Amino acid sequence: MNIEGNTVTVKKSSEDLFNFLTKLENFEQLMPENTQKFEVDGDSFIFGLKGMPEIRLVMKEKTEYSNVTLGAASSKLPFTLAADINEISENESNVTLKFNGEFNAMMAMMVKAPLTKFISTLTENLAKL
């Protein structure tokens, strides 16, 4: 299952945006309002949204100034969340969030709408930086 968020413009250079996204504690600023738990632990963080199970994301991959990829810590629901960064100018960058998960058809049906909303919220909050 693939979900691609809208591409948004952030008023940061690609280097600044990359550095922001690689500091996992900064993801708390991007989370939806209904976040009930957010804890950083080394190269991972765990978050919980109201009415949803807690999820731990681990830093999987970093390509300097162009990509930050997080992945699920649990192999039960394998997925990645990637931020692709493209510099427009020294003060502006475009960023696109891409979710890629390996779910069975039933699970995909259940999680597609909430995940799409989650990606949308993260994207909107990135645009406000």
Side-chain angles (χ1 to χ4, degrees), residues 61-80:
E61 203 175 292
K62 298 183 269 194
T63 305
E64 205 161 82
Y65 313 144
S66 65
N67 176 277
V68 176
T69 301
L70 303 171
S74 165
S75 58
K76 288 182 198 166
L77 292 174
F79 69 86
T80 59

Side-chain angles (χ1 to χ4, degrees), residues 93-111:
S93 300
N94 281 340
V95 63
T96 307
L97 296 181
K98 295 177 181 174
F99 176 92
N100 186 333
E102 296 176 29
F103 304 132
N104 65 39
M106 184 66 143
M107 179 64 81
M109 257 181 15
M110 289 172 26
V111 300

Side-chain angles (χ1 to χ4, degrees), residues 110-128:
M110 289 172 26
V111 300
K112 185 164 178 128
L115 277 174
T116 301
K117 185 173 189 224
F118 178 68
I119 299 298
S120 178
T121 300
L122 293 179
T123 301
E124 288 168 18
N125 290 338
L126 271 168
K128 295 174 188 172

Side-chain angles (χ1 to χ4, degrees), residues 13-49:
S13 69
S14 60
E15 181 177 352
D16 288 346
L17 184 55
F18 175 84
N19 290 335
F20 178 87
L21 293 173
T22 53
K23 281 194 176 142
L24 297 179
E25 57 271 10
N26 289 334
F27 275 85
E28 189 168 14
Q29 296 174 46
L30 306 177
M31 289 289 154
E33 286 180 18
N34 65 341
T35 302
Q36 292 187 308
K37 179 177 185 174
F38 186 92
E39 294 173 7
V40 175
D41 180 20
D43 67 347
S44 72
F45 66 89
I46 190 167
F47 69 96
L49 303 178

